[in-house]
Amino acid sequence: QPWFVPESVAEVLYYYGLIGRGFKGAGQQAHTIVYLPEDIIPWLPHPHSGEEGEGLPVLMTPPPPKSRTMLADDSLLADIGTLLGYIHTEGLHVDGDGPAAEDIERLVTRLQIPFDAEDNDLNTRLALILHLANRLGWLRRGDDGLIHLTGNRVYHFLEKTRAEQRQTLWETWRESAEWNDLCRVPELECAETGTAFNDPLQTRSALLRLLSTLQPGVWYSQADVIEAIRSTEADFQRPTGNYDTWYIRDTTTQEFLKGFEQWDAVEGALLRFLFRGPLHWLGALDIAEPSAGDDFQISLSQWGARWLGMDVPQPHEAHRGFIAVNEDFTVSMGIDAPLAARFRVERFATWQASYPRYVYQINQRSLQRAAAEGITGDRITAFLEPRARSIPDKVISALQRHARSVAAGA
């Protein structure tokens, strides 16, 4: 009964009746063939055909090696949680039209991706995080001149499921007219002259409509996708087809890029930036770095497919790990920890590290800060007990002593 212990994926498919095996030809021309039974054809996804006007005329490519693959993850969502914790604990000083450089320097040390001030993409990623927080109404300027959190709106976001939080960030970017992707492309500079300019919402809507014709989970060459867009809907961000009225410079040569002959330098650059940037950061695209002889590759993730209106199953959500409370009064949790739980830890402990796990330190200063917000040692213990496998006795005793001292001083 070999079907109980199949040796390969091909055998699994064969025993389930999803592929068949036969022979073709005679004599020396005889050979084995593998075919799909007609019965399963209705169950298969049907790639859109550019010739039928239904989608992009682009062929799939072989999957890249795992060593080159960068699957969409929750690092941006985790960094959103880090921003909320930082602002709640430290506040955010304002310098001119944006956050003070000193605060930004402290904040970026807590992000998931090591920050490099010379990396334009990382600067844009940080700007997007701040933009999303502001557009969602989480930020307000206090009487002290600092940026503080709008408590009720932040609380509402933190209490959402992780899937709802992802979708909230996705929809906020998709519907933001203030965030102009074209003017965030590192190779381009949008000059503030000219009689007409772009519509970020229209561009985003057109591009997402085109991407919704790709097959989720399948890998495509980035160059092939861009060429398919150029051949089928080159004017996706310029509905009038006018390529002479926008004042866009090449940041290297400082030359203005006008005319359709500059399509790849403008539209192509925008697409390449969106694929590796916002669409990947927000979780809609998996990407694979190029290697010798191969192009950069993209693949529509399951979340991306759902957000684009495809009928695909909701991705499985892994169980979130426990909070670890240690003898040295540190509290640690995985990168996938619920944002609400991590935010609550930030209220009574001091940040220490963000990678490979979030680590916070319970100390006198952090407990005093918590007490000022009405968070007692008893409340901290009640929060930790159901979320930690165990709490060292010395930590419980210290929290109890703190609770008694706060009560005595009340």
Side-chain angles (χ1 to χ4, degrees), residues 249-269:
R249 282 195 187 97
D250 183 307
T251 56
T252 301
T253 65
Q254 290 299 304
E255 294 181 2
F256 283 104
L257 303 172
K258 291 188 176 184
F260 186 77
E261 62 272 15
Q262 299 291 351
W263 192 95
D264 188 66
V266 178
E267 275 73 9

Side-chain angles (χ1 to χ4, degrees), residues 23 53 68 76 80 93 102 120 130 203 278 324 350 372:
F23 299 91
R68 287 176 46 211
L76 186 133
I80 286 281
H93 294 81
E102 295 81 2
N120 290 319
L130 293 169
T203 297
T350 301

Side-chain angles (χ1 to χ4, degrees), residues 25-300:
Q28 294 184 350
Q29 301 299 318
H31 59 278
T32 303
I33 62 170
V34 176
Y35 62 89
L36 299 178
E38 290 184 0
D39 296 354
I40 74 165
I41 298 300
W43 305 342
L44 298 176
H46 295 280
H48 295 281
S49 167
E51 295 180 357
E52 298 171 355
E54 296 179 353
L56 294 173
V58 58
L59 298 176
M60 63 184 70
T61 59
K66 288 186 178 181
S67 59
R68 287 176 46 211
T69 302
M70 294 181 286
L71 300 180
D73 59 24
D74 280 342
S75 59
L76 186 133
L77 178 61
D79 287 343
I80 286 281
T82 296
L83 173 69
L84 296 178
Y86 181 90
I87 295 177
H88 175 80
T89 304
E90 310 289 343
L92 202 60
H93 294 81
V94 178
D95 183 8
D97 295 330
E102 295 81 2
D103 280 345
I104 292 299
E105 288 176 5
R106 287 193 292 269
L107 171 63
V108 297
T109 63
R110 306 186 181 193
L111 301 182
Q112 282 299 305
I113 299 178
F115 191 78
D116 179 357
E118 301 300 318
D119 189 314
N120 290 319
D121 282 356
L122 291 181
N123 278 286
T124 301
R125 183 178 181 274
L126 176 60
L128 179 59
I129 289 172
L130 293 169
H131 175 79
L132 294 173
N134 187 51
R135 184 166 174 80
L136 284 164
W138 297 342
L139 311 180
R140 62 176 179 83
R141 183 172 296 197
D143 296 335
D144 56 2
L146 299 179
I147 299 297
H148 297 281
L149 298 179
T150 305
N152 57 339
R153 293 184 179 180
V154 170
Y155 175 81
H156 179 68
F157 176 78
L158 291 175
E159 291 304 307
K160 291 176 179 284
T161 66
R162 206 166 186 87
E164 291 170 338
Q165 290 170 345
R166 292 189 198 100
Q167 186 162 357
T168 295
L169 298 182
W170 166 262
E171 292 177 348
T172 303
W173 168 75
R174 187 188 64 194
E175 298 169 4
S176 174
E178 294 81 21
W179 179 264
N180 193 335
D181 297 297
L182 179 63
C183 295
R184 299 286 180 171
V185 178
E187 303 93 321
L188 304 177
E189 176 190 347
C190 298
E192 295 183 4
T193 57
T195 58
F197 202 54
N198 67 324
D199 179 349
L201 289 178
Q202 184 276 324
T203 297
R204 223 169 280 143
S205 176
L207 175 59
L208 296 181
R209 172 176 49 78
L210 291 169
L211 294 182
S212 71
T213 66
L214 298 179
Q215 191 171 322
V218 168
W219 288 93
Y220 299 93
S221 160
Q222 173 180 259
D224 290 349
V225 172
I226 292 174
E227 181 55 35
I229 293 174
R230 178 171 178 157
S231 65
T232 59
E233 199 164 334
D235 301 336
F236 72 95
Q237 75 163 343
R238 311 198 203 205
T240 64
N242 191 333
Y243 286 78
D244 295 316
T245 57
W246 292 5
Y247 285 76
I248 300 173
R249 282 195 187 97
D250 183 307
T251 56
T252 301
T253 65
Q254 290 299 304
E255 294 181 2
F256 283 104
L257 303 172
K258 291 188 176 184
F260 186 77
E261 62 272 15
Q262 299 291 351
W263 192 95
D264 188 66
V266 178
E267 275 73 9
L270 171 63
L271 292 171
R272 288 186 286 272
F273 164 71
L274 286 170
F275 293 163
R276 71 175 186 268
L279 289 169
H280 176 62
W281 298 334
L282 291 164
L285 285 185
D286 298 324
I287 60 177
E289 294 180 322
S291 63
D294 293 326
D295 182 37
F296 194 94
Q297 289 175 270
I298 64 172
S299 177
L300 195 60

Side-chain angles (χ1 to χ4, degrees), residues 75 78-79 81-83 106-114 331-336 342 346 350-360:
S75 59
D79 287 343
T82 296
L83 173 69
R106 287 193 292 269
L107 171 63
V108 297
T109 63
R110 306 186 181 193
L111 301 182
Q112 282 299 305
I113 299 178
V331 179
S332 66
M333 63 196 81
I335 293 172
D336 61 351
R342 186 151 64 88
E346 293 246 17
T350 301
W351 174 85
Q352 298 288 305
S354 293
Y355 190 84
R357 288 173 61 83
Y358 288 106
V359 180
Y360 298 88

